[in-house]
Amino acid sequence: MAENLQEPHQNEDVYALNAATVDAILAALEVGARDRLLEFLGHMHPADVADLLEQIEQPKRIRMIQMWGADIDPEVLSELEEGVRDDVLETLTAAQLGAAVQELDTDDMVYLVEDLEDAEKEELLDQLDDVDRVAVEQSLTYPEYSAGRLMQREMVTAPAHWSVGDVIDFMRASDDLPEQFYDIIVVDPAMRPIGEVRLGRVMAHPRSVMLEHLMEKKLRTIPVDQSQEDVAYAFNQYHMIQAPVVNADGRLVGIITMDDAMDVLEDEAEEDMRLLAGVGDEEISDTTWEIARQRFPWLLVNLITAILASVVISLFSATIEAVVALAVLMPIVASMGGNGATQTLTVAVRAIATRDLTGSNAMRVVRRELVAGTLNGIAFAAIISVVGIVWFGSPMLGLVLAIAMIGNMAVAGLAGIIVPLTLDKVGADPALASGTFVTTVTDVVGFMLFLGLASVLLL
Amino acid sequence: MAENLQEPHQNEDVYALNAATVDAILAALEVGARDRLLEFLGHMHPADVADLLEQIEQPKRIRMIQMWGADIDPEVLSELEEGVRDDVLETLTAAQLGAAVQELDTDDMVYLVEDLEDAEKEELLDQLDDVDRVAVEQSLTYPEYSAGRLMQREMVTAPAHWSVGDVIDFMRASDDLPEQFYDIIVVDPAMRPIGEVRLGRVMAHPRSVMLEHLMEKKLRTIPVDQSQEDVAYAFNQYHMIQAPVVNADGRLVGIITMDDAMDVLEDEAEEDMRLLAGVGDEEISDTTWEIARQRFPWLLVNLITAILASVVISLFSATIEAVVALAVLMPIVASMGGNGATQTLTVAVRAIATRDLTGSNAMRVVRRELVAGTLNGIAFAAIISVVGIVWFGSPMLGLVLAIAMIGNMAVAGLAGIIVPLTLDKVGADPALASGTFVTTVTDVVGFMLFLGLASVLLL
């Protein structure tokens, strides 16, 4: 009977680390019971061990890595987030890491060494055999976040004149097939990919059938310098499971598998979310100080825009002094505008990322956002004018609120879509600081409209 | 030579729909040139055709679907977002859809019929053969967004006593192997999965080797009623490519493949982002009216919280009347708190989703956020007190600003982490409306602290 590793679905924390296990591991660590520690870790999936290392405090993490030493699981290394990976690289010697690194696929080797200083990189690369070393050094020549960094060299290729039988015989004779591969890549004599065949298709045909009759010729190759974001998009859009990576000459240099693309897809969605909220590349393992320092610049930008809004308000000091109700009500118009703009912005950023918002429908979507913003502006103008009248007994104040609300909600819709589209057009990330920029617009316009109208109509 | 479908990497719009192609298609649609239209569409990937249908205006979309009629590509149907899928289902008759539906995998059939009225559902199910019909009806008994809705019935199973040769012979003899499968699932006589074997592993061994010696026994089975979010997490965390789905008795009822999990992973990340921004399930194909209507409730919640903040301000009307500079400066403290809280909240929501924030490190992260918020509060207190002194020449006003800033930033850090953790604890989505809730806290606390301190220290 197979071991069922699954928790029941009712469990809220399905797949999360089990608190009792974590406690037992930390207890073993505390008393220095190395065998017990390794026994526990050995039963966990490498990805879960990596999560554990990320979640515990740094001193304990360092201690655990030291205790593990040369026996560290290579698969855990490739699962670690950057901060923790660096802890491992600083704690263990190149000799201790040697055995583990050799067992990794080349894409994981690249991840491990790419941020090291030259001397340390050299030391670790010395642990690899020549073939791997050349492959890793080659990958490092490609830009960060490109297909070249994501690909692995481990793959199975065959010439078109091979038969199903040839492939099967080759695979049976080979003693180092990659752990992960789903397609045989058919190449011409210059190593240019000319087709691919699913393993299932190979197995479903008699030994005599030639690969060229089985292969899918409509091949989506990935240029080695393509951005990882585009790679992830292609995998998701076209349901790819594996794709050949080619250099400028069209020669096969590696493959990317779907699990790596899935990682990138999640990272990119998360990056959009963080950029919208004004958060950098922080990780759960970061210290308090790192967190505070990374968030500071974004908050500073917000402070400057907040001061800008204050300057706008200060222009109307005399009006506020005359009618103090304006000070009470002015945040409402600004806040509604900020919220409406954030709604539009969030949808737009995602739609640009998923290529749902393109040149062919941009104008229509801009129109839609402007009109939708105005429609909601009218609805909320009706509500807020009643509040103004009932609360402060001034129909004129209600009218000022209503007009300012409609104007600011229309501006919000427009700013929320124009800002990310413009950033995308000039080659910047559409999410980058657009939240701050857009809410600055709605704050300034909101205060200006509300206080300006009040100056004219109420004084 | 294979057709290289890849645009060069420099192209900003790589993989986006080509504007010229879209124009040509719309022109063919305009003049009713059906053959030309179908010729264009036939050259595109079904996922791209689906995107096209989503991006054009509804009248054109309906016209295109009508023109396509019974020849509609089944693969396009399974790629459509819900709004457009419903347009197709309303435009075409069950008879027209019949041929297309039969060609789909059962998971895609389920997606197509799940939201139909009973009578229409019946009519479409009548087009299926008995085996598919039973499979679809069975899947529909599982809750929406569960593994049961995500799984397909098309899979390859084998008993443990089969040899590699038996599998190969079976596959060669079979005439309806699934298009997508990467593992052979080994089952016991009661159809309970007891192991799985990668196709590559089968092919790499001689005909005589028994599956039970090749199979991986540590099997991650998915309970049929598990939430799709947990399924996606497992695929991503454990780099799964295919997983067997089992019912309460542990019997195999289907498989889920990684491309479906990847879709869910993207949807779930997007959902968090939308919930944080207060946006519902809208799609790029929605009309202006639908967009405005869906955003209204979220804006209404924001209006209520904005009025709440106004009520707090109104408590200090007399103070503001005495010192109008307070009205000018009060949005700064509130805005910085809102921003700080949003940063913490965004990171926390993602960390909960990726199971990086769990019971074992929650207390440490809460402490970290409180301290990091306070640290940045102190930094910005120093800056803003200088602004207050220089701008308004009042050291006491600078002091009020400074204290309020530190207090509100500390509250922001705390609220930003406590709110999502609490929502998660009680079984709600941690992202749900937490943005509005948290910024209400920082608005109220910000205004209260700043104006309250001013009443005491300045009057």
Side-chain angles (χ1 to χ4, degrees):
Chain A
M1 184 61 216
E3 191 179 340
N4 188 327
L5 300 173
Q6 187 65 67
E7 306 265 338
H9 74 287
Q10 292 85 349
N11 189 334
E12 265 304 300
D13 289 329
V14 59
Y15 298 124
L17 291 177
N18 180 290
T21 312
V22 173
D23 288 346
I25 290 172
L26 291 180
L29 185 67
E30 191 74 29
V31 299
R34 183 170 191 270
D35 291 346
R36 191 139 50 90
L37 177 75
L38 266 52
E39 162 88 21
F40 271 119
L41 296 180
H43 280 106
M44 290 165 68
H45 189 282
D48 290 333
V49 176
D51 281 353
L52 174 68
L53 281 171
E54 285 158 18
Q55 290 179 25
I56 60 181
E57 290 158 67
Q58 203 189 23
K60 289 184 185 165
R61 184 187 309 146
I62 302 285
R63 185 122 183 260
M64 196 180 290
I65 296 164
Q66 281 168 338
M67 214 183 273
W68 218 344
D71 296 325
I72 197 159
D73 181 350
E75 294 305 321
V76 171
L77 289 180
S78 61
E79 301 282 350
L80 294 171
E81 60 185 32
E82 288 187 14
V84 178
R85 174 200 65 183
D86 295 345
D87 281 344
V88 172
L89 293 175
E90 281 163 26
T91 307
L92 298 183
T93 64
Q96 282 178 310
L97 283 168
V101 173
Q102 285 171 36
E103 280 182 48
L104 294 173
D105 281 344
T106 54
D107 53 340
D108 296 327
M109 292 180 187
V110 168
Y111 171 68
L112 215 58
V113 303
E114 62 186 352
D115 292 332
L116 286 177
E117 305 284 322
D118 280 348
E120 291 170 322
K121 192 183 288 176
E122 206 52 38
E123 213 183 337
L124 202 51
L125 288 177
D126 281 341
Q127 309 287 325
L128 303 179
D129 65 39
D130 288 349
V131 177
D132 284 343
R133 191 194 165 110
V134 170
V136 171
E137 284 176 341
Q138 179 68 45
S139 283
L140 289 172
T141 64
Y142 300 115
E144 231 184 319
Y145 310 117
S146 72
R149 295 285 182 106
L150 215 55
M151 72 187 182
Q152 61 183 55
R153 302 297 175 129
E154 292 79 6
M155 53 188 169
V156 176
T157 58
H161 61 77
W162 273 20
S163 66
V164 167
D166 291 333
V167 174
I168 293 179
D169 292 343
F170 167 79
M171 285 181 62
R172 285 185 184 153
S174 174
D175 58 359
D176 65 336
L177 287 176
E179 276 210 17
Q180 278 203 64
F181 73 106
Y182 311 99
D183 299 329
I184 309 276
I185 306 165
V186 183
V187 290
D188 71 8
M191 269 304 268
R192 283 185 295 247
I194 54 172
E196 56 191 3
V197 196
R198 285 274 153 96
L199 288 182
R201 219 169 136 70
V202 176
M203 287 180 67
H205 287 83
R207 288 184 68 90
S208 60
V209 176
M210 307 298 285
L211 287 191
E212 59 188 331
H213 298 132
L214 290 182
M215 72 186 187
E216 171 60 59
K217 287 180 192 152
K218 269 201 178 181
L219 202 57
R220 265 174 214 283
T221 56
I222 306 274
V224 72
D225 53 359
Q226 188 170 65
S227 77
Q228 63 170 17
E229 192 176 351
D230 287 337
V231 172
Y233 176 81
F235 268 82
N236 193 27
Q237 173 82 348
Y238 305 121
H239 308 295
M240 292 151 75
I241 201 82
Q242 171 190 319
V245 180
V246 295
N247 66 13
D249 304 329
R251 283 169 210 260
L252 183 69
V253 288
I255 59 166
I256 294 177
T257 53
M258 200 188 205
D259 58 330
D260 294 320
M262 199 166 176
D263 269 350
V264 173
L265 191 78
E266 200 181 23
D267 285 351
E268 295 290 338
E270 186 166 322
E271 196 192 346
D272 280 348
M273 208 165 145
R274 284 164 183 263
L275 287 179
L276 277 175
V279 194
D281 249 349
E282 63 184 58
E283 290 157 355
I284 200 76
S285 59
D286 286 350
T287 62
T288 307
W289 186 249
E290 284 165 343
I291 293 276
R293 201 166 37 89
Q294 283 183 42
R295 293 188 191 162
F296 180 86
W298 301 85
L299 289 166
L300 186 62
V301 172
N302 185 65
L303 179 67
I304 294 165
T305 67
I307 291 176
L308 188 66
S310 289
V311 170
V312 173
I313 298 172
S314 73
L315 301 176
F316 301 97
S317 293
T319 315
I320 294 172
E321 215 156 0
V323 189
V324 78
L326 297 178
V328 172
L329 293 172
M330 70 184 184
I332 296 178
V333 173
S335 159
M336 290 299 286
N339 231 269
T342 304
Q343 288 180 326
T344 301
L345 180 62
T346 302
V347 173
V349 164
R350 278 310 290 162
I352 292 172
T354 58
R355 274 77 160 171
D356 284 335
L357 180 54
T358 62
S360 35
N361 63 344
M363 268 317 296
R364 195 165 58 79
V365 174
V366 170
R367 241 184 353 255
R368 186 183 69 175
E369 291 298 337
L370 175 62
V371 177
T374 310
L375 284 175
N376 272 328
I378 293 170
F380 286 104
I383 299 173
I384 197 63
S385 62
V386 172
V387 171
I389 295 166
V390 171
W391 193 355
F392 292 95
S394 159
M396 204 43 119
L397 186 58
L399 181 68
V400 169
L401 271 174
I403 300 175
M405 181 71 85
I406 296 173
N408 207 25
M409 292 295 282
V411 167
L414 212 51
I417 184 85
I418 296 278
V419 168
L421 277 176
T422 307
L423 283 170
D424 187 48
K425 195 100 185 171
V426 302
D429 191 311
L432 183 65
S434 34
T436 305
F437 190 73
V438 161
T439 49
T440 304
V441 171
T442 52
D443 273 358
V444 167
V445 171
F447 290 135
M448 193 94 84
L449 268 177
F450 178 63
L451 297 173
L453 281 167
S455 306
V456 176
L457 297 177
L458 290 180
L459 291 191
Chain B
M1 184 63 216
E3 191 180 340
N4 187 328
L5 301 172
Q6 187 63 69
E7 306 265 339
H9 75 286
Q10 292 87 348
N11 189 334
E12 266 303 300
D13 288 329
V14 59
Y15 299 124
L17 291 176
N18 179 291
T21 312
V22 173
D23 288 346
I25 289 172
L26 292 179
L29 185 68
E30 191 74 28
V31 300
R34 182 171 191 270
D35 291 346
R36 191 138 50 92
L37 178 75
L38 267 53
E39 162 88 18
F40 271 119
L41 297 181
H43 280 105
M44 290 165 68
H45 188 283
D48 290 332
V49 176
D51 281 352
L52 174 68
L53 281 171
E54 285 158 19
Q55 289 180 25
I56 60 180
E57 289 158 68
Q58 202 189 24
K60 290 184 185 166
R61 184 188 309 146
I62 303 286
R63 183 120 185 262
M64 195 179 290
I65 296 164
Q66 281 167 339
M67 214 182 273
W68 218 343
D71 296 326
I72 196 158
D73 180 349
E75 293 305 322
V76 171
L77 289 179
S78 61
E79 302 282 349
L80 294 171
E81 60 185 33
E82 288 187 15
V84 177
R85 174 200 64 183
D86 296 344
D87 281 345
V88 171
L89 292 175
E90 280 163 27
T91 307
L92 298 183
T93 64
Q96 282 177 309
L97 284 168
V101 174
Q102 283 170 38
E103 281 183 47
L104 292 174
D105 281 344
T106 53
D107 54 339
D108 296 326
M109 292 180 186
V110 168
Y111 171 67
L112 215 59
V113 303
E114 63 186 352
D115 292 332
L116 286 176
E117 306 281 323
D118 280 348
E120 290 171 321
K121 192 184 288 179
E122 207 51 41
E123 213 182 336
L124 203 51
L125 288 177
D126 280 340
Q127 308 287 325
L128 303 179
D129 64 39
D130 288 348
V131 177
D132 284 342
R133 191 193 165 112
V134 169
V136 171
E137 284 176 340
Q138 179 68 44
S139 282
L140 289 172
T141 65
Y142 300 115
E144 231 183 320
Y145 310 117
S146 71
R149 296 284 181 106
L150 214 55
M151 71 187 183
Q152 60 182 54
R153 302 296 175 130
E154 292 79 4
M155 53 188 169
V156 176
T157 59
H161 62 77
W162 273 20
S163 66
V164 166
D166 290 333
V167 174
I168 292 179
D169 292 343
F170 167 79
M171 285 182 62
R172 286 186 183 151
S174 174
D175 58 359
D176 65 337
L177 287 176
E179 277 211 15
Q180 277 204 64
F181 72 107
Y182 311 99
D183 298 330
I184 309 276
I185 306 165
V186 182
V187 290
D188 71 9
M191 268 304 268
R192 284 187 294 249
I194 54 171
E196 56 192 3
V197 196
R198 285 274 152 96
L199 289 182
R201 219 169 135 71
V202 177
M203 287 179 68
H205 286 84
R207 289 184 68 91
S208 59
V209 176
M210 307 298 285
L211 286 190
E212 57 188 333
H213 298 130
L214 289 183
M215 72 186 186
E216 171 62 57
K217 288 180 190 150
K218 269 201 176 178
L219 202 56
R220 266 174 215 282
T221 56
I222 305 273
V224 72
D225 52 359
Q226 187 170 64
S227 77
Q228 63 170 16
E229 193 177 349
D230 288 337
V231 172
Y233 176 81
F235 269 81
N236 192 27
Q237 173 82 348
Y238 304 120
H239 308 296
M240 292 151 75
I241 201 81
Q242 170 190 319
V245 181
V246 295
N247 66 13
D249 304 329
R251 285 167 209 261
L252 183 69
V253 289
I255 59 166
I256 294 177
T257 52
M258 200 188 202
D259 57 331
D260 294 319
M262 200 167 175
D263 270 350
V264 173
L265 191 78
E266 200 181 22
D267 286 351
E268 295 290 339
E270 186 166 322
E271 196 192 347
D272 280 348
M273 208 165 144
R274 284 164 183 264
L275 287 179
L276 277 176
V279 193
D281 250 350
E282 62 184 59
E283 290 157 354
I284 200 75
S285 60
D286 286 349
T287 63
T288 306
W289 185 249
E290 284 165 341
I291 293 277
R293 201 165 37 89
Q294 283 181 44
R295 292 188 192 163
F296 180 86
W298 301 85
L299 289 167
L300 186 62
V301 172
N302 186 64
L303 180 67
I304 293 166
T305 67
I307 291 175
L308 188 65
S310 290
V311 171
V312 172
I313 298 172
S314 73
L315 301 176
F316 301 95
S317 293
T319 315
I320 294 172
E321 215 155 2
V323 188
V324 78
L326 297 177
V328 172
L329 294 173
M330 70 184 184
I332 296 179
V333 173
S335 159
M336 290 298 286
N339 230 268
T342 305
Q343 289 181 326
T344 300
L345 180 63
T346 302
V347 173
V349 164
R350 279 309 291 162
I352 292 171
T354 58
R355 275 75 161 171
D356 285 335
L357 181 53
T358 63
S360 35
N361 63 344
M363 267 317 296
R364 195 164 58 80
V365 175
V366 169
R367 239 182 357 251
R368 185 183 68 175
E369 292 297 337
L370 174 62
V371 177
T374 309
L375 283 175
N376 272 327
I378 294 169
F380 286 105
I383 299 173
I384 196 64
S385 62
V386 172
V387 172
I389 295 167
V390 171
W391 193 357
F392 291 96
S394 160
M396 204 45 119
L397 185 57
L399 181 67
V400 169
L401 272 173
I403 300 176
M405 181 71 85
I406 297 174
N408 206 25
M409 292 296 281
V411 167
L414 212 52
I417 183 86
I418 296 280
V419 169
L421 277 176
T422 308
L423 283 170
D424 187 48
K425 195 100 185 171
V426 302
D429 192 312
L432 183 65
S434 35
T436 305
F437 189 74
V438 161
T439 49
T440 304
V441 170
T442 52
D443 274 357
V444 167
V445 171
F447 290 135
M448 193 94 83
L449 267 178
F450 178 64
L451 297 174
L453 280 168
S455 306
V456 175
L457 297 176
L458 290 179
L459 291 190

